[in-house]
Amino acid sequence: MINLVVIVIVEMAVPDTTKMERCSMQIGVVFPQTEFGHDPLAVRDFTQTAEALGYTHILAYDHILGVNRQRAGGWQGIYDHEDSFLEPFVLFAYMAGVAATIEFVTGIIILPQRETAVVAKQAATLDRLANGRFRLGIGVGWNHMEYEALNQDFGTRGRRVEEQIDLLKKLWCHELIQYKGEWHQIDDMGLNPLPQQQPIPIWLGGHADAVLRRVAKMGDGWLPNYRTAAEAAPSLGKLEAYLAAEGRGLEEIGIEPRLLYGEPDIMRWTTLLTDWQAVGASHMTLNTMRAGLNTPQAHINALKIFADAIDLENSWS
């Protein structure tokens, strides 16, 4: 089965003239972790349906531990211990075994919570078993209690993640490495097997200024949290400037926002897709969470409704 891409005609400004250009956008789906449950047959059906409909990738969120809202001191985080999260590397290894072509994306792995060499090994193994169909989306996270429980320093996560990215790329591209950093020391050691992709693409989530600088300096793509392209415009301007300072252009990285399914509304969907594509988004991920879909089959049906509405198989304009 061949991954399909959506073709959109958008009006783009070019020097001294204006013309219509045909561009492609890869459209994937969020695995609705907290609302889907963990029946392996339902996970298989979700994966195979997404692939059959022509979605290009599946993105999954990550949390290791959930906090009890009734604990002493309370809890105001988005998720708590009642929200179910399947571990993304294990989830994707299972999905890779029931699908032939769809790509897998972590959106995001909270990298500073995890041992870097272990992540390198997990990602390399998944990339091998999925025949290179993997992107590692990472971020620094917001849950300080989860950091504490995992014996990691919440306060140094921003500085540490840059060293982690550097080390991951070296581990994925060399049979043996010598590495001495502030948080890591590896003396003539390496991974076996190395990943199929060398290196595996690393995309960064978030929109803080430090994140945008990090994307420009060492990222392959950006996973913004903005709902609309208009909301993202100031950050896109900053990102373009930071990329230029690194000798790179906006066209050299991927950009992947998320589209909330909400109430089925083809005009809203197509407007969001077109607007994001006009500002350079290379990917889009449909998120069916928080849309009142209470069963795995309801989420699977939503994938079909969206694909039919935007004519995913045959492209749209």
Side-chain angles (χ1 to χ4, degrees):
M1 187 176 294
I2 300 173
N3 279 345
L4 300 175
V5 294
V6 173
I7 306 298
V8 182
I9 298 177
V10 296
E11 188 171 292
M12 302 179 68
V14 296
D16 303 321
T17 186
T18 302
K19 64 180 180 179
M20 300 294 286
E21 293 187 0
R22 184 173 292 271
C23 303
S24 64
M25 176 184 280
Q26 297 187 40
I27 298 184
V29 294
V30 171
F31 179 70
Q33 287 269 39
T34 61
E35 300 175 9
F36 198 84
H38 38 75
D39 176 2
L41 295 182
V43 175
R44 177 204 64 188
D45 291 346
F46 180 93
T47 306
Q48 293 178 342
T49 298
E51 184 172 75
L53 289 170
Y55 291 100
T56 57
H57 57 281
I58 296 174
L59 180 147
Y61 300 158
D62 169 47
H63 276 288
I64 296 175
L65 296 170
V67 182
N68 179 9
R69 290 192 187 277
Q70 306 308 315
R71 65 181 290 276
W75 176 247
Q76 300 299 319
I78 300 171
Y79 302 111
D80 60 30
H81 76 288
E82 295 184 346
D83 293 305
S84 174
F85 285 89
L86 295 172
E87 200 287 321
F89 288 116
V90 179
L91 171 65
F92 287 156
Y94 173 78
M95 288 180 167
V98 299
T101 60
I102 203 160
E103 183 188 39
F104 306 106
V105 188
T106 55
I108 55 173
I109 288 290
I110 305 164
L111 187 58
Q113 289 183 168
R114 298 180 177 232
E115 292 288 343
T116 312
V118 176
V119 172
K121 184 71 170 184
Q122 291 172 308
T125 300
L126 176 59
D127 192 64
R128 275 289 168 189
L129 296 178
N131 292 317
R133 294 177 288 137
F134 179 56
R135 282 183 282 136
L136 180 66
I138 61 123
V140 298
W142 50 267
N143 189 333
H144 66 90
M145 289 193 64
E146 195 171 14
Y147 268 84
E148 291 168 10
L150 295 168
N151 198 32
Q152 300 296 336
D153 186 349
F154 186 76
T156 63
R157 67 195 190 284
R159 288 174 28 235
R160 190 153 38 96
V161 78
E162 296 197 5
E163 184 172 302
Q164 288 183 291
I165 293 170
D166 180 54
L167 178 55
L168 286 173
K169 292 181 177 181
K170 287 180 168 60
L171 284 168
W172 289 333
C173 294
H174 302 281
E175 182 179 352
L176 295 168
I177 69 167
Q178 297 276 3
Y179 195 94
K180 185 172 178 59
E182 186 174 353
W183 290 279
H184 304 85
Q185 182 168 336
I186 297 178
D187 185 11
D188 204 18
M189 304 172 75
L191 300 176
N192 190 357
L194 293 172
Q196 183 166 314
Q197 301 178 94
Q198 297 182 17
I200 295 168
I202 295 179
W203 291 47
L204 286 80
H207 49 71
D209 197 65
V211 172
L212 299 177
R213 291 180 183 275
R214 206 169 288 136
V215 173
K217 179 181 178 182
M218 56 201 334
D220 297 294
W222 180 40
L223 298 159
N225 292 326
Y226 296 108
R227 298 284 183 88
T228 68
E231 291 173 356
S235 290
L236 281 166
K238 288 183 180 180
L239 178 57
E240 190 167 21
Y242 295 150
L243 283 162
E246 298 289 339
R248 307 172 72 192
L250 202 59
E251 72 283 354
E252 296 180 55
I253 65 165
I255 299 173
E256 180 171 344
R258 294 184 298 277
L259 186 157
L260 298 180
Y261 181 82
E263 292 292 330
D265 181 348
I266 187 172
M267 290 301 295
R268 178 176 65 86
W269 292 340
T270 54
T271 297
L272 285 168
L273 287 166
T274 303
D275 288 351
W276 272 109
Q277 192 170 55
V279 298
S282 56
H283 299 65
M284 175 66 76
T285 307
L286 173 68
N287 186 3
T288 60
M289 295 169 65
R290 299 187 177 88
L293 306 176
N294 299 319
T295 66
Q297 191 58 52
H299 284 280
I300 292 170
N301 289 342
L303 303 190
K304 297 175 183 177
I305 292 169
F306 183 83
D308 288 343
I310 67 167
D311 197 12
L312 182 59
E313 281 197 297
N314 299 310
S315 82
W316 55 280
S317 62

